[in-house]
Amino acid sequence: FLQVASPVPQGPNKWHEQFPIAKGQRQSPIDIVTSNAKVDKALSDNPLKVSYSNNCCQSVTNTGASFQVVVDGAGTEISGGPLDSTYKLVQFHAHWGPLGGDEGSEHTVDGVTYPAELHLVHWNQKYKDVGEAVDKPDGLAVIGVFFSRGKEHAGFKPISDLFAKVPRKADKVDISFNYDPACLLPARRDYWTYLGSLTTPPLFESVTWIVMKDPVEVSAEQLAALRNLLWETPSGEGQMCNNYRPPQPLQGRLVRST
Ligand SMILES: NS(=O)(=O)c1ccc(S(=O)(=O)NCc2cccs2)s1
Ligand SMILES: [Zn+2]
């Protein structure tokens, strides 16, 4: 019998063959050159407002490319800062590198990488649902938080402890406890912001990026827990790692800063 294996996902360098927008004018991630970022007083005059509830998280899934905490969106709104309307949290996930390595983040800061980067994905409430918002120029807002290796992050532990329960693609476990994703944000709320894209196919140029300046510390064990997630590799099933897209051309875009 013909065994038709599911095709192993292609790496970022080949995405343009199926998604020509990969070579577009507002692709993400980017290297944030701090000396070129422009402080915009308007961002501080209208501070980014993050109001999440602590019972919004429904489940954790292994998507085959990351973990994804699915959120029901009720009462999980952000507004202000670079945003012209209210956006609702729909999911959060992360990107990371090899065990013990320092690469893994998608955005870099003056060429510096972090071992991982968390993405909190929100959609513009002017659209009827995330499916309608996902390919509109103002459709999504993603908050990026760098993870650095250090002491254990108590707030991330309830989530990182679940990864061992979802080892394979499409595995899913319900979140029965109260959880407020705002605990994953750094205390200091300064950020860089620019117009970009999804960092995975379909790479839609629909994201207002809000990249927090300060990393949050997580332990080496919590970073290692990310590798309890498995995915398909050319030589069969293996630890999920290096699921990050490298920085893309800035194409003359302005990065603003608080
Ligand atoms: N790494 S990232 O934060 O830039 C993301 C990549 C993909 C994201 S998504 O959750 O919006 N799914 C994409 C789609 C949803 C519906 C149709 S395509 S968010
Ligand atoms: Zn992401």
Side-chain angles (χ1 to χ4, degrees), residues 11-12 15 65 95-99 101 103-106 115 227 231 239-246:
W15 287 347
H95 306 262
W96 57 91
L99 196 55
E103 67 275 23
S105 63
E106 299 209 298
R227 283 168 215 87
W231 67 353
Q239 292 185 339
M240 193 185 284
C241 62
N242 303 322
N243 54 356
Y244 62 94
R245 187 188 195 189

Side-chain angles (χ1 to χ4, degrees), residues 168-188:
R168 286 177 183 77
K169 181 171 181 176
D171 285 349
K172 174 177 168 181
V173 67
D174 286 342
I175 291 179
S176 54
F177 47 86
N178 280 346
Y179 188 78
D180 178 353
C183 74
L184 299 172
L185 297 173
R188 192 170 75 104

Side-chain angles (χ1 to χ4, degrees), residues 15-243:
W15 287 347
H16 69 93
E17 292 169 5
Q18 202 180 342
F19 304 96
I21 202 163
K23 295 180 181 291
Q25 297 303 305
R26 57 173 278 190
Q27 288 291 293
S28 292
I30 60 170
D31 177 42
I32 296 166
V33 179
T34 56
S35 58
N36 293 344
K38 187 166 170 30
V39 172
D40 184 348
K41 199 171 148 310
L43 295 174
S44 310
D45 289 351
N46 176 19
L48 180 68
K49 185 168 181 287
V50 178
S51 47
Y52 291 160
S53 69
N54 73 351
N55 62 353
C56 62
C57 298
Q58 289 179 316
S59 62
V60 188
T61 301
N62 178 331
T63 66
S66 182
F67 72 85
Q68 190 168 110
V69 174
V70 174
V71 167
D72 71 5
T76 55
E77 300 181 344
I78 62 171
S79 60
L83 306 175
D84 292 338
S85 64
T86 300
Y87 289 68
K88 249 185 212 229
L89 181 65
V90 61
Q91 56 103 330
F92 60 92
H93 64 273
H95 306 262
W96 57 91
L99 196 55
D102 283 330
E103 67 275 23
S105 63
E106 299 209 298
H107 291 90
T108 56
V109 181
D110 296 329
V112 174
T113 61
Y114 288 88
E117 182 176 332
L118 179 81
H119 288 158
L120 296 143
V121 184
H122 310 74
W123 59 281
N124 191 328
Q125 291 304 286
K126 78 189 239 192
Y127 299 109
K128 68 177 183 333
D129 57 30
V130 65
E132 186 190 7
V134 76
D135 64 348
K136 305 300 184 293
D138 61 353
L140 301 179
V142 182
I143 296 179
V145 183
F146 294 122
F147 280 0
S148 63
R149 192 178 284 104
K151 63 182 186 309
E152 180 176 89
H153 191 302
F156 188 53
K157 188 163 184 340
I159 302 297
S160 57
D161 283 351
L162 293 179
F163 297 151
K165 298 183 189 310
V166 288
R168 286 177 183 77
K169 181 171 181 176
D171 285 349
K172 174 177 168 181
V173 67
D174 286 342
I175 291 179
S176 54
F177 47 86
N178 280 346
Y179 188 78
D180 178 353
C183 74
L184 299 172
L185 297 173
R188 192 170 75 104
R189 294 292 169 89
D190 284 286
Y191 59 85
W192 295 286
T193 183
Y194 75 98
L195 298 181
S197 74
L198 300 178
T199 64
T200 63
L203 299 168
F204 292 141
E205 297 188 327
S206 58
V207 181
T208 297
W209 277 96
I210 297 169
V211 180
M212 305 313 289
K213 288 188 178 181
D214 289 350
V216 296
E217 277 188 33
V218 298
S219 65
E221 291 73 16
Q222 288 180 302
L223 287 168
L226 288 162
R227 283 168 215 87
N228 287 328
L229 298 155
L230 306 178
W231 67 353
E232 274 310 301
T233 72
S235 51
E237 188 173 72
Q239 292 185 339
M240 193 185 284
C241 62
N242 303 322
N243 54 356

